[in-house]
Amino acid sequence: MTSSAESPIGASLPRSRAARFVTGKGRYTDDFTAPRMLFAAFIRSPYAHARILHIDASAAMERPGARRVLTAKDIAAVCKPYRAVNNIFPTMNSPLQHAVAIEKVHYQGEPVAIVIADTRAQAEDAAEHVQIDWEPLPAVTDAEAAASSKTPVIHEGFDTNLCFQTKIETPDIDKCLQEAAAIIEESFIFGRHTGVPLEMRTILANYDASDGILTVTQSHQVPHELQGIYARQLGLAESKVHVICPDVGGAFGIKLQAYNDEIAICAAAVILQRPVKYQVDRLEAFISDVQARDHHVKAKIALDANNDILAFAVEDIFAIGPYPQFPRSSLQEGFHVIQLTGAPYRFRDYRGVLQVVFQNKVNAGLYRAVGQPISCALTERMIDMAARHAGRDPIDFRREHYRREAEFPCKSPSNVALTKMALLQCHDAVVDGMQIRALRKEQAALRERGILRGIGIATFVELVNPGPNYYTNAGLAVSAQDACTLRLEPGGTVRCRVSLSEFGQGTDFSIGQVVAATLGITASAVEVECGDSWTAPFGGGSWASRGIMMGSEAGWRAARTLRESILKTAGQLLQCPAESLDIRAGEIVEVSGRARMSVAELANIAHYRQGLLPKDCQPELTATSHYSPRDLDYVSSAGVQSSYVEVDAETGFVRLLRHGVSHDSGNVINPLLLAEQLRGGAVQGIGSALYEECLYDEDGQLLNGTLADYLVPMAAEIPDIEIYDVATPWQPTGAPKPKGVGEAGVAGASAAILNAINDAIYPLGASIAQIPCTPERLLDVIDRARKPPAG
């Protein structure tokens, strides 16, 4: 368990407005007996599916420090139920959700009560004394079973466990499959995993009844979006909700949705009118944080007589837990699978079938790269199998079938608009950088000695920075714009407030670089602030690799406006045309380079000594710019990854020897941050390929909910990730126009490793199509390949 002292959120608790009182002279004075912060512990269901028959909290209330035990009835008095709704998917089944379960639980870890006490330890102690009578119910855990009409339905009022289904297909797909010279098929299983951020989800909610303001400090990605959610759920005006998301210690999409326990903490603060803090511990995180990637997929690739690609076909069953996540739903993970399969390649016909099913596991949904690692793995494994069938090197086979640069922009057979992508450049950068043809010779020599090494390559297409059309059509209160406000301070520094949030990706620093370069000042003279729904201009926050794409554009536009204002004011003060002046390294100079005054000196005059200015001079030293990508639904980006592995056929252990990444990153603002984003993402992808999986038994009980059992890649398992970026350095004379890279490393890593492993074990006649590729699974496929055919 984590004590409150370990979290910076607790340390920075602001004094409550309720601690102020009005003196006889009508002035506010501080009362230093502010309401003391309370701590929450959740009682969570030990069952994946059960009825709640009775809750007895009497013994808990006798424990030291216990203040209140809040049940569903208490929370429901101030908090509305909710459901995920998306107008683009009108047939989506979406059960009503509650911040605290009412009458029935649908997954292990679902909150059923909250214990409030003076300390976290006291809250947890009291929680141990709450008595609950349960009626266990059968659990539905398997994805394919959930899709069957014979399986019991987990939600009352529904006649199916099907959340949603859809199909994308071209008119001639059946004819194409019938007439194809060859059809290659494979069935895939992708295991569940979760984000494991360094910082656990943490929330501190404080409701001040004197002015009706709810202040929430939270480890989250989207402060403005949360402001609206909390206001609607608690019946407050949005102007009365203040959400602060300070620097967050990792997010990966699992801190994008509104969680039931976090909504419940806000409700508890309203009920108690006291600050209430809750911090998920690592054990709770495994049964409450969003998980992802629970897919069972059947895939086909069709070839003609010349071994050219005719079609792809996929059927995906995606299991999301008992509810679509709120508010965005979980469906986009499945949609990306059926939309992006085959995307890098030229072919004519396509079929993608998606079934999204309910099950008794914690929710699955939007996690880093959102379905794109699945579509990449499907595509790239099928491409490797097609190359084997054709007797071609998979490197050359890919290069021959890529979409060419002249084809962009275009629409894929799955009806996805694709913008310009540097597929060939990324491919060649990895092939040359990894020296794959030389590795082939080394691989062949080692095979002669019984050493199994494999080379895998994977091309990925990712859709980043979704535009406003999607969220407008979906009817979701999600902003697809972002904004930047710049204010020149009297000392010459520029205060930069952006609507984005910072959780380790370096967005704030990069935006500061853009602002500084555009203004003509040093980066150290820009102070960037983000993550505050009251002080920052309104915007969508950071997700979908959009942070630097949106923030740099808004910052560049605001900086251009502020620069014009500074030069206009300087021109009026110096009695010369603004066009004859420039700003360089914080100095206002003539175009020739002769210094006239510093930006700091101008700021001091404009703020404090206006009497020195001409009478018609009104300095405008604050600028705000908003940006929304109105012309595109998404920006498509691409990259290639390659892995070099060694497989021990006797133990099933896989050793990753080398891993390379190339990416079409557009204009690069900060090369070091870009490279480290690609490396960090690749490590997460390596984890999903080899180690990470949330394992459940048939009753829906998580079997490996600790970091001793849920394996994440450590330094000893990871080689130095080689980066071969395909990009252009940004020049401040033009718009930044970078491409997001936050998810690129994840998107292709597991596919490259899957192909490398299959390349290594091919001489044994074995193959694997399940991720993660654990030693047990590898030994199983190798053993089956070695056994003689029955009979």
Side-chain angles (χ1 to χ4, degrees), residues 367-411:
Y367 168 68
R368 194 176 189 179
V370 188
Q372 292 165 137
I374 310 298
S375 62
C376 178
L378 298 173
T379 301
E380 295 305 298
R381 181 69 191 121
M382 300 310 294
I383 288 290
D384 262 23
M385 294 172 73
R388 290 273 187 201
H389 170 83
R392 300 296 311 282
D393 186 296
I395 296 171
D396 297 331
F397 190 83
R398 282 174 171 79
R399 208 177 194 286
E400 292 169 8
H401 290 91
Y402 281 144
R403 295 181 181 277
R404 295 313 194 242
E405 193 168 312
E407 297 179 39
F408 299 111
C410 64
K411 280 201 171 183

Side-chain angles (χ1 to χ4, degrees), residues 507-541:
T507 295
D508 55 353
F509 186 80
S510 296
I511 294 170
Q513 283 185 278
V514 170
V515 168
T518 305
L519 284 173
I521 62 178
T522 62
S524 61
V526 180
E527 298 285 346
V528 182
E529 300 173 3
C530 57
D532 192 312
S533 72
W534 274 14
T535 63
F538 199 92

